[in-house]
């Protein structure tokens, strides 16, 4: 088990990638506009904030659905990170999945 695996499994939050269980860290890439995350938007208006996911799941792909802490995200981009040529983890860009929560 690599250092990255140990960090993710000890400190990462539980998440579901598609139907597989995993662990990772999710953080917002738009911290300057914190109010947008608390504002109830009008119907048809989407939150375009982007999120970063760091996970050791190797089978994650663009378009996959990620669920963590009751929120659902769509993977926009996946970048594998290799250390000394060996796979370490994936860094992904996510966006919140739209839906009719209050409908």
């Amino acid at each position: 088990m690599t250092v990255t695996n140990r960090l993710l499994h000890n400190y990462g939050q539980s998440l579901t990638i598609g139907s597989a269980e995993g662990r990772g860290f999710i953080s917002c890439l738009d911290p300057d506009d914190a109010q947008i995350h608390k504002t109830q938007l009008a119907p048809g208006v989407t939150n375009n904030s982007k999120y970063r996911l760091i996970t050791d799941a190797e089978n994650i792909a663009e378009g996959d659905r990620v669920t963590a802490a009751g929120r659902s995200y769509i993977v926009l981009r996946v970048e594998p990170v290799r250390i000394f040529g060996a796979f370490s983890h994936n860094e992904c860009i996510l966006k919140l999945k739209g839906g009719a929560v209050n409908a």
Side-chain angles (χ1 to χ4, degrees):
M1 184 177 266
T2 66
V3 173
T4 305
N5 294 104
R6 277 186 254 147
L7 284 171
L8 289 168
H9 288 280
N10 288 336
Y11 302 107
Q13 72 182 83
S14 296
L15 30 106
T16 305
I17 302 166
S19 61
E21 296 293 320
R23 296 191 72 79
F25 298 106
I26 294 180
S27 62
C28 183
L29 293 175
D30 304 324
D32 295 338
D33 192 9
Q35 289 302 318
I36 193 72
H37 304 292
K38 299 174 185 172
T39 305
Q40 182 71 18
L41 300 174
V45 177
T46 61
N47 178 350
N48 291 323
S49 296
K50 303 289 187 275
Y51 298 82
R52 176 183 319 150
L53 166 65
I54 298 174
T55 182
D56 60 350
E58 292 186 56
N59 56 351
I60 192 167
E62 293 177 8
D64 282 352
R65 180 178 174 177
V66 175
T67 306
R71 299 181 94 181
S72 186
Y73 305 88
I74 299 294
V75 178
L76 299 177
R77 183 175 174 181
V78 178
E79 287 292 328
V81 176
R82 299 187 180 284
I83 298 176
F84 300 117
F87 175 80
S88 174
H89 62 278
N90 279 314
E91 294 186 6
C92 308
I93 302 296
L94 311 173
K95 71 172 185 169
L96 277 171
K97 182 175 180 353
V101 175
N102 297 326

